[in-house]
Amino acid sequence: MFFFRALFFLVALAGLGRACAEGSGGDAPLSSLCTEKSGGVSYSNHFELPLEKYVGAVESVADLDVIRSGGFKILRIPVAWGEHLGGSPDYRIDPTFLRDVDKFVDQALARDFKVVLDLHRFDISKYSDREGEDRFSSIWKQLSSHYRTYGRGLVFELYNEPSQQISNDRLSYLYSKIVPVVRSNSPAREIVVSANRWSKVEGLKGFISPQVADVYLTVHYYAPAKFTHQGASWIAGASAWVGTKWEGSPADQKAVAQDLDLVDEWRRSNRVSGVFLGEFGVLKGADRLSRLNWIKTVRTESVSRGWCWAYWDFKAGFGAYDSSQNKWDAGVLGVLFGK
Ligand code: BGC
């Protein structure tokens, strides 16, 4: 009898530990964080790296305190789940990798971040229709079951930057199959969806989001790419863009506003709980004044539309944080928070 009581006590204690790790501040709906002072940032260059570059669990979570001290309330964690799967038919997520992510997610929730966990670096068009769908649904079935006891601090972003190879009809179909599964595990889980064409505004044409509560649309904004991605190693020809400036003239600003108007237009005929500008940013090598002007313009436009936002990224190529000096880039932080 004593053994069973002790066992029950230990199990209860473990549950309490997890509940505490989840924190509570992040439990407010994502829509309540769509304000000037509640921005977010993507924790890039870690869990979303290709398998051969993945170095293991985040050894120190000091970054989380730094990000909190910067004023961010949303932490987007890009994760390349698809790189860490076993074979068919289960496509089991590598338990060690899942534990690595758990540790980080728990620590982020304990700091009251709203955590947006995405499926990054996943290209469904690499597989046959059947296999692609199996992999996609297996990932979200496992994750929604694994995180079923987690509160609303944890948000699922179903598919980062679907390419133009996948039609919006197919995306809508995939979402319509998986959203009920996620909700059967956690009825209150907020969900973020994206259209094709790498979540760019152009992808919204013909995209129909799941028509259920607590679904957000995400868009990524990097226009003009010639400016934001100048010198990007992963884009052919981008070295020729180096030196491109963004003056922030009335015409430049109008171009941004017109692009973003298309999102609001899409929204009028689709039922979503909000818009999450889940990525926007400029590579660090760009002309500084242009970079600050562009970030300020996009952030201001986003906030004035009542959207939530997350800057790409924390301390990698687009970094708001200067890891060489271990401090925030005061200029970037300033324009992100409207100073
Ligand atoms: C990609 C990054 C890239 C960024 C900006 C992200 O979604 O994963 O590799 O740097 O977009 O292009």
PDB file of all heavy atoms in Angstrom, residues 250 260 333:
ATOM      1  N   PRO A 250       8.240  58.170 -49.746  1.00  0.00           N
ATOM      2  CA  PRO A 250       6.786  57.917 -49.698  1.00  0.00           C
ATOM      3  C   PRO A 250       6.386  56.768 -50.623  1.00  0.00           C
ATOM      4  O   PRO A 250       5.545  55.939 -50.268  1.00  0.00           O
ATOM      5  CB  PRO A 250       6.187  59.252 -50.150  1.00  0.00           C
ATOM      6  CG  PRO A 250       7.223  60.269 -49.741  1.00  0.00           C
ATOM      7  CD  PRO A 250       8.558  59.594 -49.902  1.00  0.00           C
ATOM      8  N   LEU A 260       0.688  44.895 -47.858  1.00  0.00           N
ATOM      9  CA  LEU A 260       0.041  44.400 -46.640  1.00  0.00           C
ATOM     10  C   LEU A 260      -1.484  44.576 -46.700  1.00  0.00           C
ATOM     11  O   LEU A 260      -2.229  43.799 -46.089  1.00  0.00           O
ATOM     12  CB  LEU A 260       0.652  45.064 -45.411  1.00  0.00           C
ATOM     13  CG  LEU A 260       2.182  44.857 -45.277  1.00  0.00           C
ATOM     14  CD1 LEU A 260       2.694  45.388 -43.950  1.00  0.00           C
ATOM     15  CD2 LEU A 260       2.612  43.392 -45.427  1.00  0.00           C
ATOM     16  N   LEU A 333      16.456  47.099 -31.899  1.00  0.00           N
ATOM     17  CA  LEU A 333      15.509  46.935 -30.798  1.00  0.00           C
ATOM     18  C   LEU A 333      14.618  48.183 -30.692  1.00  0.00           C
ATOM     19  O   LEU A 333      13.402  48.089 -30.489  1.00  0.00           O
ATOM     20  CB  LEU A 333      16.270  46.724 -29.487  1.00  0.00           C
ATOM     21  CG  LEU A 333      15.530  45.989 -28.398  1.00  0.00           C
ATOM     22  CD1 LEU A 333      15.103  44.604 -28.832  1.00  0.00           C
ATOM     23  CD2 LEU A 333      16.399  45.892 -27.143  1.00  0.00           C
TER      24      LEU A 333
END
